């Protein structure tokens, strides 16, 4: 019988090692995101990701045991959230105003600004999932999840506009939700920004003007028409 009590094993942790692992994971994620957007999901292999990131293939699997699908999920989540996902979704986060938001133009500016910024970060990856959905079940699931979340957000916004009395008399909440779903889609963003070559300011202005003129009371005049006149 051993008179000495058995010593509990200590788990050794190193902050430097953990930081190095985090940086490696970030490098792999960012390299994969570039490849997914540039080459497509199906054409991008783990070996390609390793080469782009400058690491060994086994390092990729050590950082992401789930392989490509896990890397894509983390890259997409990071892009959607942005660098600081703690910022309120509806504004600059300055927190100086204590007045409730009641101006329809301010709400439109916030909705368009947040949506455009998110698509500038994540639109490429979202389109990757859409364009690869026919060939890969993971991409099909990601595309369906995003479409469902976008539809839910559009419905929430449409209901808010309706409750505030801002919708035109001939526009139902259901119709407004469909229009908002379309306007905020990565497909429309890609068509105008990537295929038509619009700059981001053109895209934002068009989005705000279209939202006002198609859905909101007084949208045919005011800020919507003045913006159109000033661009002629």
């Amino acid at each position: 019988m051993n008179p000495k009590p058995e010593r509990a094993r200590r788990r050794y942790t190193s902050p430097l090692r953990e930081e190095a692992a985090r940086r490696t994971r970030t490098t792999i994620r960012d390299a994969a995101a570039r490849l997914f957007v540039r080459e497509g999901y199906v054409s991008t292999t783990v070996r390609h990701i390793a080469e782009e990131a400058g690491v060994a293939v086994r390092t990729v699997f050590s950082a992401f045991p789930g392989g490509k699908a896990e890397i894509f999920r983390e890259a997409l989540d990071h892009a959607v959230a942005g660098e600081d996902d703690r910022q309120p979704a509806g504004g600059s986060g300055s927190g100086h105003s204590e007045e409730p938001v009641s101006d329809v133009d301010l709400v439109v500016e916030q909705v368009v600004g947040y949506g455009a910024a998110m698509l500038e970060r994540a639109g490429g990856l979202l389109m990757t999932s859409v364009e690869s959905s026919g060939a890969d079940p993971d991409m099909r699931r990601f595309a369906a999840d995003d479409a469902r979340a976008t539809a839910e957000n559009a419905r929430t916004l449409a209901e808010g506009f309706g409750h505030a009395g801002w919708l035109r008399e001939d526009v139902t909440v259901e119709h407004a939700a469909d229009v908002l779903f379309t306007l905020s889609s990565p497909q429309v963003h890609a068509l105008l920004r990537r295929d038509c070559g619009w700059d981001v300011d053109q895209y934002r202005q068009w989005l705000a003007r279209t939202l006002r003129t198609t859905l909101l009371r007084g949208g045919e005049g005011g800020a919507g028409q003045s913006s159109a006149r000033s661009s002629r």
Side-chain angles (χ1 to χ4, degrees), residues 17-145:
R17 182 179 299 173
E18 291 175 356
E19 176 62 17
R22 186 192 66 78
R23 290 183 179 178
T24 298
R25 188 178 176 93
T26 298
T27 298
I28 293 169
R29 180 200 69 205
D30 292 346
R34 292 192 297 272
L35 288 173
F36 291 146
V37 172
R38 188 171 72 229
E39 306 294 340
Y41 182 83
V42 175
S43 298
T44 298
T45 67
V46 172
R47 182 173 296 279
H48 293 151
I49 295 170
E51 292 172 353
E52 180 79 7
V55 300
V57 170
R58 65 177 178 275
T59 303
V60 176
F61 281 114
S62 295
F64 295 92
K68 280 203 308 180
E70 183 184 355
I71 301 173
F72 185 90
R73 177 78 270 172
E74 180 156 323
L76 181 58
D77 287 346
H78 175 76
V80 169
E83 292 300 323
D84 187 357
D85 58 2
R86 296 169 298 178
Q87 179 173 319
S92 62
S94 61
H96 294 312
S97 175
E98 297 179 358
E99 295 295 325
V101 174
S102 58
D103 184 353
V104 63
D105 287 333
L106 179 57
V107 173
V108 169
E109 181 183 350
Q110 291 175 329
V111 168
V112 169
Y114 176 78
M118 188 278 289
L119 286 172
E120 286 297 304
R121 297 189 306 266
L125 287 171
L126 291 171
M127 283 304 298
T128 295
S129 68
V130 171
E131 293 168 345
S132 302
S133 61
D136 186 272
D138 289 322
M139 293 296 99
R140 189 156 52 248
R141 185 175 68 255
F142 289 143
D145 288 346

Side-chain angles (χ1 to χ4, degrees), residues 6 13 27 52 56 79 81-82 92 94 109 112-114 123 125 132 144 177 187 194-195 206 211-212 214 232:
E6 184 177 353
T13 60
T27 298
E52 180 79 7
S92 62
S94 61
E109 181 183 350
V112 169
Y114 176 78
L125 287 171
S132 302
Q187 290 93 331
R194 183 185 66 186
D195 300 342
W206 172 84
L211 193 159
R212 288 189 182 100
T214 57
R232 292 175 185 169

Side-chain angles (χ1 to χ4, degrees), residues 213-227:
T213 57
T214 57
L215 299 181
L216 303 179
R217 292 176 183 270
E220 297 85 350
Q225 280 198 343
S226 62
S227 297

